[in-house]
Amino acid sequence: MNLEPVDVVVIGAGPAGMAGARTLADLGLSVVLLDEQSAVGGQIYRGINSASPARRTLLGPDYAAGAHLANAVKSTTVRHETGASVWQITRERQVHYLKNGQVRSFAARAVLLATGAMERPFPIPGWTLPGVMTAGAAQILLKTAGIGPQGPVVLAGCGPLLYLLGWQYLRAGIPIAALVDTSRREDYWRARVHLLGALRAWPYLRKGVSLLRALRKGEVPHYTGAEQLQVEGEGQAQALSFVVDGKAQRVSASTVLLHQGVVPNIQFTQALRAQHRWDDAQLCFVPETDRWGALDVPFISVAGDGAGIGGAQAAALQGQLSALGLARTLGQLTPAQRDAQAAPLRAELERNLRIRPFLDALYRPREENRIPARDDVTICRCEEVTAGDVRRFVELGCSGPNQAKSFGRCGMGPCQGRMCGLTVTEIIAKSRGLTPDEVGYYRIRPPIKPITLGELASG
Ligand SMILES: Cc1cc2nc3c(=O)[nH]c(=O)nc-3n(C[C@H](O)[C@H](O)[C@H](O)COP(=O)(O)OP(=O)(O)OC[C@H]3O[C@@H](n4cnc5c(N)ncnc54)[C@H](O)[C@@H]3O)c2cc1C
């Protein structure tokens, strides 16, 4: 196998990866930035370099702000490989990726993982029907192609991305049949405890309030405290039904967009056998790192939402901090130089993260939307395994997600457990009366991304 040497491979060209790669290159290290997308930007700034001025305006100032990061990384010596899907990283820092059907590989002195977040699964009855998508997927269509659904659309769930998409749809003239919010009164009470911290991050609060105001002004029907969500339809989504204050509601729509927050993409950190812990505030697993984002795997660090959800600005700051940490480890900086450069970044990061406890409490996804009560709800879409199947596995003695693979193949399809991992952990934990930490997560193995035998042979 031909392994090309490089100082640092950065995986993921979102805010964390772009900022990290630029910092490393500015410090004189050779850097390769790999991303499966066709351009830099990651999730939030997807398509930023190709978006027309009109589309940038439509998507809002937070989106347009990404142009600055994208241009900055372009002006460095960073070698950016687009369309590069990384399918394996070894603990010895061999990085294998697929590009144009060919396997290529690097031998890196260090690796920075900036693979971001993915949307939390939303396993409710009917969520696998055609016409149901995640809000993030719908937003990708808007960002990259400027298109939205035809006909009535319902947005359902909780979290800032849901309101942001609603606001973007209003501006794009896409009609919204309803915004169905699952947040309850008790979520607002729980969040109140963190209000002081949130007030110290007032620009975020102001943004949230102005999104909600715009949706109200746009006369979008808005339901709050919705429970018992169910997508109805025969072969195609036709309506979303739910209950508010004990009253049954039904909104007709051929497109239902679900969203209940994002969770770290931990496929690589898990495959590397790094330590993880359950974060009960964010209801997900996060890799254990030191304050420079370093894993307990030598010379491998993680930055951005992949290390815990903090948002785009925090991701860019973490990317720079992890880069400084790696540069020190590689002998490019003294500890004093690293710390001096890090100090203002840390202060800014602290300011950025003040809003998180408030958001995590306010938009805590309901248990019924994470752990389906109904047995017939599909949870592993690749292998068509239901919630009831997993509960039956537990009755038969299945103790955790890895045994569940042997019992019924869940997590063994093309997505490699990305879609069902958290749901399977939480169902088993609840059925066994254990914590998610005690039950654990899938043991992830390469290939992280699908690869054919022919492609593998090409390497
Ligand atoms: C679908 C979606 C839409 C979002 N939209 C918004 C928004 O509009 N506004 C907002 O404020 N926040 C949004 N967020 C949250 C936002 O993504 C983050 O806060 C922020 O982008 C995190 O930055 P990051 O650099 O950590 O990761 P990301 O921006 O997520 O970047 C990660 C990058 O890693 C790449 N990658 C992952 N795995 C591989 C692999 N195996 N091989 C190669 N490349 C890989 C991805 O292609 C991606 O470009 C969104 C999140 C999601 C999941």
Side-chain angles (χ1 to χ4, degrees):
M1 186 172 289
N2 189 14
L3 290 166
E4 199 180 331
V6 63
D7 285 331
V8 190
V9 170
V10 179
I11 300 161
M18 288 192 285
R22 181 190 172 194
T23 304
L24 289 159
D26 286 349
L27 289 168
L29 292 158
S30 60
V31 183
V32 173
L33 177 60
L34 301 177
D35 199 297
E36 58 195 353
Q37 291 190 42
S38 56
V40 292
Q43 297 292 7
I44 177 166
Y45 309 131
R46 189 181 279 265
I48 185 71
N49 281 336
S50 51
S52 63
R55 195 179 300 160
R56 282 188 192 189
T57 308
L58 183 153
L59 291 168
D62 284 354
Y63 176 75
H68 167 70
L69 261 181
N71 290 335
V73 80
K74 245 202 254 167
S75 67
T76 63
T77 55
V78 172
R79 173 175 151 198
H80 177 208
E81 292 283 347
T82 56
S85 183
V86 180
W87 56 272
Q88 184 180 20
I89 306 167
T90 70
R91 287 174 68 95
E92 293 72 35
R93 301 172 306 284
Q94 291 183 2
V95 179
H96 305 289
Y97 67 103
L98 193 64
K99 181 166 171 150
N100 300 329
Q102 297 283 313
V103 165
R104 303 174 193 191
S105 307
F106 286 104
R109 291 173 66 208
V111 172
L112 176 55
L113 295 168
T115 49
M118 50 194 194
E119 287 179 281
R120 181 189 294 280
F122 206 135
I124 54 168
W127 77 306
T128 52
L129 279 170
V132 183
M133 281 173 26
T134 65
Q139 199 204 36
I140 289 173
L141 284 174
L142 192 62
K143 282 177 180 168
T144 54
I147 54 174
Q150 287 182 335
V153 50
V154 172
L155 303 175
C158 60
L161 185 58
L162 200 67
Y163 307 119
L164 175 64
L165 182 64
W167 178 79
Q168 290 168 336
Y169 273 5
L170 271 184
R171 287 162 72 93
I174 296 166
I176 304 171
L179 179 69
V180 179
D181 196 323
T182 54
S183 308
R184 295 154 293 182
R185 244 169 253 131
E186 63 206 72
D187 296 319
Y188 288 90
W189 279 105
R190 204 182 24 238
R192 244 171 46 125
V193 179
H194 306 288
L195 193 58
L196 196 64
L199 286 172
R200 289 165 68 215
W202 57 269
Y204 284 105
L205 272 190
R206 199 185 50 194
K207 252 185 253 172
V209 170
S210 70
L211 287 185
L212 286 171
R213 261 203 207 126
L215 288 165
R216 200 165 301 142
K217 209 168 151 207
E219 296 180 0
V220 174
H222 190 177
Y223 299 85
T224 53
E227 55 189 343
Q228 299 174 43
L229 266 62
Q230 179 168 348
V231 183
E232 295 178 5
E234 289 289 325
Q236 162 70 40
Q238 282 159 349
L240 181 77
S241 64
F242 51 96
V243 172
V244 174
D245 290 333
K247 201 168 153 211
Q249 305 281 353
R250 186 177 187 278
V251 180
S252 295
S254 51
T255 306
V256 177
L257 302 178
L258 300 174
H259 178 80
Q260 51 179 352
V262 297
V263 293
N265 175 355
I266 52 170
Q267 297 297 100
F268 282 119
T269 50
Q270 286 282 358
L272 285 161
R273 305 286 172 259
Q275 280 291 326
H276 289 73
R277 67 179 168 82
W278 179 257
D279 181 332
D280 202 50
Q282 298 198 336
L283 293 169
C284 59
F285 286 104
V286 292
E288 292 272 23
T289 66
D290 69 8
R291 58 201 303 261
W292 302 100
L295 298 171
D296 57 351
V297 184
F299 298 97
I300 303 188
S301 297
V302 55
D305 274 3
I309 304 307
Q313 291 180 26
L317 293 162
Q318 288 167 336
Q320 294 171 74
L321 287 167
S322 294
L324 292 175
L326 283 175
R328 162 65 205 130
T329 311
L330 295 176
Q332 208 73 7
L333 289 176
T334 64
Q337 287 170 328
R338 174 199 61 187
D339 295 349
Q341 291 192 38
L345 301 172
R346 278 204 196 288
E348 206 182 327
L349 180 62
E350 192 269 325
R351 275 196 295 277
N352 258 282
L353 292 178
R354 278 178 195 157
I355 189 77
R356 280 326 306 181
F358 179 78
L359 293 179
D360 293 341
L362 185 59
Y363 299 125
R364 188 176 176 86
R366 280 174 177 243
E367 184 175 299
E368 67 175 33
N369 296 331
R370 309 190 325 265
I371 308 175
R374 264 178 52 176
D375 277 347
D376 61 347
V377 175
T378 299
I379 51 156
C380 169
R381 302 170 68 123
C382 303
E383 298 293 331
E384 299 188 349
V385 180
T386 64
D389 289 334
V390 176
R391 283 190 272 263
R392 267 190 299 281
F393 301 160
V394 173
E395 281 164 18
L396 290 169
C398 167
S399 58
N402 292 305
Q403 290 80 4
K405 286 186 184 178
S406 325
F407 275 74
R409 287 196 53 81
C410 61
M412 294 179 74
C415 93
Q416 286 291 287
R418 266 190 294 276
M419 268 276 180
C420 64
L422 280 179
T423 314
V424 170
T425 291
E426 287 212 271
I427 292 177
I428 296 178
K430 188 169 181 204
S431 305
R432 295 190 59 212
L434 298 173
T435 64
D437 240 343
E438 288 167 320
V439 163
Y441 193 72
Y442 286 137
R443 181 168 272 262
I444 303 296
R445 294 191 175 85
I448 300 297
K449 293 280 166 147
I451 177 169
T452 66
L453 261 183
E455 288 165 341
L456 195 58
S458 74

